[in-house]
Amino acid sequence: AWLAAAVNGEVAVTKAASYSFAGETVKLTSDIDLGNYPWTPIGLTGDAAGFQGTFDGQGHTISNLYVDLTAERKYQSAGLFGSVHGTVKNFTVKNATVKNLDDIPDTSNGTAVVVGASQFESTIENVHVVNAVVSANKRAAGIAGYFCGTITGCTVDGLVATTTPDKKSNGTYDNGDKIGGIVAYDNTPGTAIDRCSVKNAHIEGYRDLGGISGTARLSITNCIVENVDI
């Protein structure tokens, strides 16, 4: 929670408004049970770089993550990390609920268990999601919502991911799209997913759905999809 407060500029680490942790490594030294307490993502909007260091979970488990930004009605990303321009690795997130449903004109930019959005090149490796529910207006996934970079050795086992279209003020609808077991969306050539798996998942939305990725310009290699209902 302190890490989120520092990156989001809610607590002063230096004289700067926020602290990015660029060039630094944050290590998780034990398992953490978040107890379904309302969680504020580390970095809030994917349009900003957010957390820019390395987060090394050292094989530990983060349990009972609960994120619900629905009432915020802001353009932002949701997840353990909302916004990343760095590396997250070596941990498991177990029993997570992440919600980001809004009715603003341009819906939020990414929703996932691990990283909501990374519009700047990042790395996610050896991160595992076990039993999660993710719901958003668009760009929903198990590992990363909007992503640029590489994802390797990650697994998702037990996921329900859904998107609901935005209802605009004139009565029309938009979005409800881009859902994947690993990544929801990427529009950056060079992004790669390797040695990842998705098992026991239900993926539901209006369009652009996939067991590994919803829609993207990326390479997908050595991946497994098993018992996934789309």
Side-chain angles (χ1 to χ4, degrees):
W2 174 82
L3 186 61
V7 173
N8 299 342
E10 297 168 359
V11 59
V13 178
T14 65
K15 292 182 179 180
S18 61
Y19 195 75
S20 70
F21 293 89
E24 299 178 339
T25 297
V26 177
K27 295 182 178 180
L28 186 62
T29 58
S30 64
D31 294 346
I32 292 182
D33 185 350
L34 297 179
N36 292 310
Y37 185 83
W39 178 258
T40 299
I42 302 167
L44 286 173
T45 171
D47 293 345
F51 178 79
Q52 298 178 50
T54 294
F55 180 85
D56 185 354
Q58 298 192 123
H60 292 294
T61 297
I62 299 170
S63 301
N64 301 314
L65 169 71
Y66 181 81
V67 181
D68 187 356
L69 302 185
T70 298
E72 298 291 327
R73 295 289 189 263
K74 295 179 180 178
Y75 179 70
Q76 57 194 357
S77 291
L80 177 67
F81 290 84
S83 174
V84 168
H85 177 30
T87 297
V88 296
K89 61 182 182 179
N90 302 332
F91 61 93
T92 297
V93 181
K94 185 176 181 181
N95 300 331
T97 300
V98 183
K99 301 177 183 179
N100 197 13
L101 294 158
D102 58 45
D103 56 4
I104 60 177
D106 187 356
T107 195
S108 297
N109 51 15
T111 302
V113 175
V114 182
V115 175
S118 179
Q119 298 192 43
F120 306 88
E121 190 167 346
S122 298
T123 299
I124 303 175
E125 60 183 52
N126 192 32
V127 176
H128 312 285
V129 171
V130 180
N131 297 332
V133 176
V134 179
S135 54
N137 297 101
K138 69 176 181 180
R139 298 174 184 162
I143 298 293
Y146 191 118
F147 190 73
C148 170
T150 59
I151 299 177
T152 59
C154 295
T155 65
V156 173
D157 189 351
L159 170 69
V160 176
T162 60
T163 56
T164 302
D166 297 310
K167 185 176 181 179
K168 297 185 175 182
S169 58
N170 63 3
T172 62
Y173 290 85
D174 191 16
N175 299 311
D177 57 333
K178 300 176 180 63
I179 321 171
I182 299 294
V183 172
Y185 175 74
D186 175 77
N187 197 33
T188 307
T191 294
I193 301 174
D194 183 49
R195 292 178 286 111
C196 294
S197 70
V198 178
K199 299 180 180 180
N200 307 314
H202 175 81
I203 295 171
E204 181 175 350
Y206 176 61
R207 65 179 186 269
D208 303 335
L209 319 176
I212 295 293
S213 178
T215 179
R217 293 189 293 172
L218 49 68
S219 66
I220 300 173
T221 53
N222 306 309
C223 292
I224 296 171
V225 175
E226 181 179 335
N227 193 31
V228 174
D229 171 51
I230 299 176

